[in-house]
Amino acid sequence: MISADRPATRLATRLSFLVAGFGMACWAPLVPFAKERLSVDDAVLGLLLLSLGIGSVVAMLATGILIARHGSKPIIIAGGIGLALVLPLLVIAGTPVTLAIALLAFGAALGSIDVAMNIHAVEVERAARKPLMSGFHALFSIGGFAGSAVMTALLSFHLAPLACALICSVLMLITMALAWPRLLRSAQAQDGPLFVLPHGIVLLLALLAAVTFLIEGAMLDWGALLVIGTGLVSEAQGGIGYIVFSIAMTAGRLGGDAVVARVGDRATLVGGSLLAVAGLAVLLLAPSAATAIAGFLLIGLGASNLVPVLFRRAAMQTAMPTGLAVASITTAGYAGVLVGPAGIGFIAHAVGLPTAFWMLAALMCLVTLSARAVTAK
C-alpha cells in the first residue's frame, strides 16, 4: 500500500481539488449559451440549474456509503472522469429534459469527487501530522479561477462551445491521469456500518459548515446587489466585491496551513469567524466603495480557513466513521450554498437586504461561540 505521507499523494490530492474546481467553473460561462439554445426563460433556467444541485446532494449522500466500503480512490477517479465526460453533453443537450438529465449527472460527478477528495485529504493530512487542508482547498479555488478563465478565453476566440468544452474535458482527463496512480488505494475504506445518521459533534460541525458555505453563497449571489442597492458602486462595478472576496479567500487558504500550525484550530476558528463578522460590519456600514471593498476583503480572509478546520475536526471525532462524517458535513455545506441564498432573498424581501446580511453576521458568531466545543478533543 502506498504511504499516505508522500509528496506523490499530496500532489494527487491537490490535482483532485484542482479538477473539481476547474470542472465546476467551466459550466458557468456556458450557461448563457444553454439558455439561448433552448430558448427558455429565467424561471425554467433556474429549475434546470437546480438539477445540478440535486444531483450533487444525492451523490454526496451515496458517496459516504460507497467510500466506507471501497475507499476514496475509485470515487475520485469516477467523479473526475465523469466531470470531463459530461461537460460536452451540457453543450449539446437540445431539450430542457436532456439538459436536466445531463446536469443531474454533472452534479453527481461533482458531488462524488467533492466528498471523496476531502476524505482522501483527511487521510493524507493525518499521515503528515501537520496542517495541509487549507492548501488543498486553495487548489479548488485556483481551479475555479482557471476553469472560468480558460473557458472564457476559448469562447472569446469564437470557438464553438462544444470545441471549448472538449478542450477543457481533455485538460481534466490529463490531470486525472496524473493523479490516478498517486492516489491512496484504500483511503478510509472500513468495515463499519454503511450508513449512520449524523449525531453528536458531527451535527455541530455540519451546522457550522452550512453557515460558512452560506456566507460564501451570499457573497456570490447577493454581495453585488447589496453595494449597488446602497449606491456605493454602479451596476457595472458590482462584481468587484466578489472578485476581491475570492482572491482574499484563495490567498488566505494558501497561507492557512502555516497559520493553523502556529496558532491551532481553535484560534483559527475564533479569529477567522470574528474577522468575517468584522468584515460584514464594515461592508454594511461602509460610507464609500473603497470601504465596502475592504469589507469583502476581510470576509474572504476570515472565512478562508474555517471549512478546512471543520473537515479536519471531522477526521478527529469518534462519534461516527470519518468517511460518513465528512460526507455529512459536505452535504450540509452544499445545502447551505443551495438553499441559503434563496432564504436570504425571502428575508430581504420582508425586512431588506442589509438586515438579512446582519443576520448572516449573527450566524457567523455561532462559529466563534462553538470553537471550544468543536476543538475540545
Side-chain angles (χ1 to χ4, degrees):
M1 181 180 298
I2 299 175
S3 170
D5 187 19
R6 296 178 64 226
T9 57
R10 298 179 194 179
L11 173 62
T13 310
R14 294 187 177 101
L15 292 176
S16 301
F17 276 81
L18 184 70
V19 166
F22 185 91
M24 182 182 70
C26 281
W27 162 237
L30 296 173
V31 173
F33 292 90
K35 181 181 180 182
E36 180 180 1
R37 184 174 70 254
L38 301 179
S39 300
V40 296
D41 58 23
D42 290 341
V44 174
L45 180 62
L47 289 175
L48 290 173
L49 295 177
L50 185 61
S51 299
L52 191 153
I54 293 173
S56 293
V57 170
V58 172
M60 285 175 180
L61 294 171
T63 297
I65 298 173
L66 292 172
I67 290 176
R69 280 291 178 264
H70 305 292
S72 57
K73 179 174 181 175
I75 311 302
I76 292 175
I77 294 169
I81 293 177
L83 285 174
L85 296 182
V86 177
L87 181 64
L89 300 181
L90 301 178
V91 178
I92 63 176
T95 66
V97 173
T98 55
L99 180 59
I101 294 172
L103 284 171
L104 279 170
F106 193 74
L110 180 61
S112 297
I113 193 173
D114 202 334
V115 173
M117 70 189 186
N118 274 292
I119 293 174
H120 192 277
V122 161
E123 188 74 7
V124 172
E125 183 185 64
R126 179 185 290 157
R129 297 183 178 180
K130 66 178 182 179
L132 296 173
M133 193 66 71
S134 293
F136 292 148
H137 280 256
L139 265 293
F140 182 87
S141 300
I142 292 172
F145 280 124
S148 179
V150 170
M151 181 63 76
T152 300
L154 292 172
L155 291 170
S156 69
F157 290 139
H158 304 292
L159 294 177
L162 178 58
C164 298
L166 289 172
I167 292 172
C168 290
S169 292
V170 169
L171 293 175
M172 285 189 279
L173 290 173
I174 292 173
T175 305
M176 288 307 305
L178 293 173
W180 190 324
R182 297 170 174 83
L183 290 167
L184 296 172
R185 290 180 184 153
S186 59
Q188 289 301 332
Q190 55 197 21
D191 296 323
L194 291 178
F195 178 77
V196 178
L197 284 174
H199 58 275
I201 192 65
V202 176
L203 277 177
L204 178 58
L205 291 169
L207 171 63
L208 299 182
V211 168
T212 306
F213 276 102
L214 170 57
I215 300 296
E216 294 183 30
M219 293 300 104
L220 173 62
D221 294 331
W222 295 101
L225 292 175
L226 178 68
V227 290
I228 292 172
T230 54
L232 295 176
V233 300
S234 65
E235 290 186 359
Q237 298 174 324
I240 295 177
Y242 184 73
I243 293 173
V244 171
F245 168 83
S246 299
I247 293 173
M249 177 163 282
T250 303
R253 285 177 171 172
L254 286 172
D257 292 327
V259 172
V260 174
R262 178 177 292 273
V263 305
D265 286 349
R266 182 177 302 178
T268 301
L269 288 176
V270 172
S273 58
L274 288 177
L275 189 60
V277 171
L280 285 164
V282 169
L283 174 61
L284 288 162
L285 300 174
S288 66
T291 307
I293 297 302
F296 281 106
L297 176 69
L298 293 176
I299 297 168
L301 288 175
S304 59
N305 293 301
L306 299 182
V307 168
V309 170
L310 294 176
F311 278 115
R312 181 179 304 112
R313 303 314 296 193
M316 299 175 69
Q317 56 79 39
T318 57
M320 58 188 294
T322 299
L324 299 180
V326 171
S328 298
I329 294 170
T330 307
T331 304
Y334 206 80
V337 172
L338 288 176
V339 179
I344 292 172
F346 287 116
I347 296 172
H349 179 73
V351 296
L353 190 55
T355 302
F357 267 68
W358 281 117
M359 294 176 69
L360 291 177
L363 286 174
M364 180 56 77
C365 289
L366 292 176
V367 179
T368 310
L369 297 174
S370 302
R372 179 178 293 275
V374 168
T375 59
K377 181 179 177 181

